[in-house]
Amino acid sequence: MKTFDVIIAGGAMAGGTLALAISQLSHQTLSVAVIEAYQSDNQSHPGFDSRAIALSYGTVETLKTFGIWPHLAGVVTPIKHIHVSDRQHFGMTDIDHNDVDLEALGYVVELADVGNVYSELLSHHENIDVFCPAKVAGIERFQDSVTVSLSNGERVQGQLLVAADGALSTCSELVGLEFTDHDFGQHAIIANVVASELHQGRAFERFTEHGPIAMLPMSDNRLSLVWCVPPEKVHEIMNCADDAFLAELQRMFGWRLGEFKRVGARTSYPLQLRVRDKNISHRFAIVGNAAQTLHPIAGQGFNLGIRDVATLAEEITANDCIGEYRQLARFQRRREEDRHATITLTSSLVHLFSNQWATLSLSRSLGLFTVDNIPQLKAPLLKRTLGIVNR
């Protein structure tokens, strides 16, 4: 049985970032095991249908600290401008990178590229062992250690197990960490589209009577679409012909990008707020979507997870009491305020912008108009959007 300082379940961007951060901050003196179920596809270009995520300015600064950003910088698309509007109402607000004297407000990266980059980076750290493909099959916790049984028959031991294994965290279930959830009554339809106009690094958040529509700029003039709709509309939109899909999207989004010309493969999933009641237990911690899964409105969930990762990496490498209660308790205290504020913000925005009561519709429009014209009100929103948040 191999022994490590830290075991990380999940080698995607949250778990991979944590492993690389621990290695960087400890000068490769701490040993790390990464357990990942899926192998990188090693494709040089993921193609039209690749999924993408937005990295906030704050997340990029964090990745720079851990020496990761230079390896991602060549495969990202900058977000130069963010436009927020409310369909059939006058309120709107704009944020431009020149207004805040930044090269970009954030960056969009395709997950296939992340997989390739992280696989290469992890292989260059001799203190990081990747067990792939493998899943966590069992967890035994002792006073000073934790032992993890893998689906391939191997067993590994460490001082701390970190779950970065996604919203349906197997590790959290095995440990018995309970969660609360809330059904937003919406499904997200995910696809890539191309419009007749160049996106020019513009991102859009368009609130409609059914839910928000988000567009993120990607390479080759593609846009990553997240379209939130009520459950009763999912089957119709998922199964209609491409022409009908694009026509309905055009009707709901408008013409700020010209005419929508092409749509790729579509996927959908129900939108729920899922929050683990605690993000630590004995010799155990959780980060990213395993700790909290948010509505995609305003793109806060992933960037909140990276702040979890950064804080935990700092605590793990700050002293030699890896996995002890006092260390994990500090991590929990440091994450409490940001976690609560971000969850509250995203959930409140969903309920505010999905409600068609006349008084709330008017309040939304006035709010967007006011935020756009009063710098003192725009600044706090901008900081949260950019991910400039105290940890």
Side-chain angles (χ1 to χ4, degrees):
M1 182 167 58
K2 292 185 177 181
T3 301
F4 300 87
D5 292 304
V6 181
I7 303 168
I8 301 171
M13 197 161 185
T17 299
L18 179 60
L20 293 168
I22 292 171
S23 184
Q24 172 81 2
L25 295 178
S26 72
H27 305 288
Q28 300 192 21
T29 59
L30 295 182
S31 58
V32 181
V34 176
I35 303 163
E36 173 54 39
Y38 304 102
Q39 291 179 311
S40 174
D41 60 16
N42 293 316
Q43 294 179 1
S44 59
H45 193 286
F48 183 83
D49 291 316
S50 175
R51 300 278 73 84
I53 53 173
L55 311 178
S56 70
Y57 168 82
T59 292
V60 170
E61 293 301 297
T62 298
L63 295 178
K64 288 178 181 177
T65 301
F66 300 145
I68 299 171
W69 180 249
H71 304 276
L72 285 174
V75 295
V76 300
T77 301
I79 299 173
K80 300 286 189 177
H81 186 96
I82 300 173
H83 179 83
V84 183
S85 62
D86 193 1
R87 184 174 182 267
Q88 296 181 335
H89 300 283
F90 65 84
M92 64 180 63
T93 187
D94 287 283
I95 305 170
D96 191 88
H97 71 108
N98 290 317
D99 297 339
V100 289
D101 196 27
L102 294 175
E103 183 177 330
L105 299 170
Y107 295 85
V108 180
V109 64
E110 298 171 33
L111 293 177
D113 286 333
V114 172
N116 292 333
V117 169
Y118 272 53
S119 178
E120 183 72 13
L121 285 176
L122 290 169
S123 70
H124 290 161
H125 288 250
E126 293 184 357
N127 59 316
I128 300 176
D129 282 15
V130 179
F131 295 81
C132 179
K135 298 180 181 179
V136 173
I139 299 171
E140 296 177 90
R141 292 184 291 172
F142 306 96
Q143 181 66 35
D144 299 319
S145 66
V146 56
T147 298
V148 178
S149 301
L150 306 185
S151 56
N152 61 9
E154 294 185 82
R155 299 173 76 218
V156 292
Q157 187 179 67
Q159 298 178 69
L160 173 66
L161 170 62
V162 181
D165 52 348
L168 302 176
S169 171
T170 299
C171 291
S172 299
E173 293 299 309
L174 288 173
V175 167
L177 282 187
E178 296 182 351
F179 64 85
T180 56
D181 62 356
H182 169 73
D183 189 345
F184 288 112
Q186 296 176 352
H187 279 61
I189 295 175
I190 313 296
N192 291 340
V193 298
V194 171
S196 60
E197 293 186 9
L198 297 176
H199 60 59
Q200 298 178 316
R202 291 175 292 170
F204 296 85
E205 187 94 49
R206 175 78 159 162
F207 296 104
T208 78
E209 58 268 33
H210 300 306
I213 297 174
M215 298 268 193
L216 294 174
M218 299 170 68
S219 61
D220 300 324
N221 203 43
R222 293 171 299 155
L223 293 141
S224 176
L225 166 69
V226 180
W227 186 359
C228 301
V229 300
E232 61 269 19
K233 288 182 68 70
V234 174
H235 180 79
E236 173 191 350
I237 295 176
M238 284 293 295
N239 292 284
C240 67
D242 287 356
D243 288 349
F245 180 93
L246 293 172
E248 180 63 10
L249 177 61
Q250 195 85 65
R251 187 177 74 85
M252 301 302 292
F253 181 80
W255 294 84
R256 287 183 174 85
L257 285 162
E259 182 181 1
F260 290 113
K261 293 289 190 179
R262 183 183 175 192
V263 60
R266 306 166 218 170
T267 59
S268 70
Y269 61 91
L271 292 174
Q272 293 181 318
L273 170 67
R274 174 172 291 197
V275 181
R276 297 283 169 184
D277 298 333
K278 298 195 312 181
N279 58 357
I280 62 168
S281 183
H282 177 67
R283 297 283 166 184
F284 184 76
I286 51 178
V287 295
N289 283 343
Q292 62 274 318
T293 305
L294 310 186
H295 192 286
I297 194 170
Q300 293 292 312
F302 174 78
N303 296 290
L304 173 64
I306 289 296
R307 297 197 290 273
D308 291 343
V309 165
T311 303
L312 183 58
E314 289 169 356
E315 290 297 337
I316 288 172
T317 57
N319 49 60
D320 57 1
C321 61
I322 296 173
E324 292 185 7
Y325 175 77
R326 63 181 182 270
Q327 180 187 80
L328 299 181
R330 281 196 302 270
F331 163 69
Q332 181 170 254
R333 283 195 303 271
R334 288 181 61 186
R335 297 304 305 133
E336 188 172 8
E337 182 177 349
D338 179 26
R339 195 174 182 227
H340 175 75
T342 306
I343 292 169
T344 301
L345 170 68
T346 55
S347 300
S348 299
L349 284 173
V350 174
H351 292 297
L352 175 62
F353 281 96
S354 297
N355 195 311
Q356 292 307 300
W357 291 351
T359 51
L360 279 181
S361 296
L362 177 60
S363 297
R364 291 200 305 262
S365 292
L366 289 173
L368 286 173
F369 177 81
T370 302
V371 165
D372 198 46
N373 289 275
I374 300 179
Q376 294 88 339
L377 295 177
K378 196 170 186 176
L381 175 64
L382 183 58
K383 281 189 174 183
R384 182 65 60 173
T385 301
L386 294 176
I388 304 174
V389 179
N390 290 329
R391 289 192 284 104

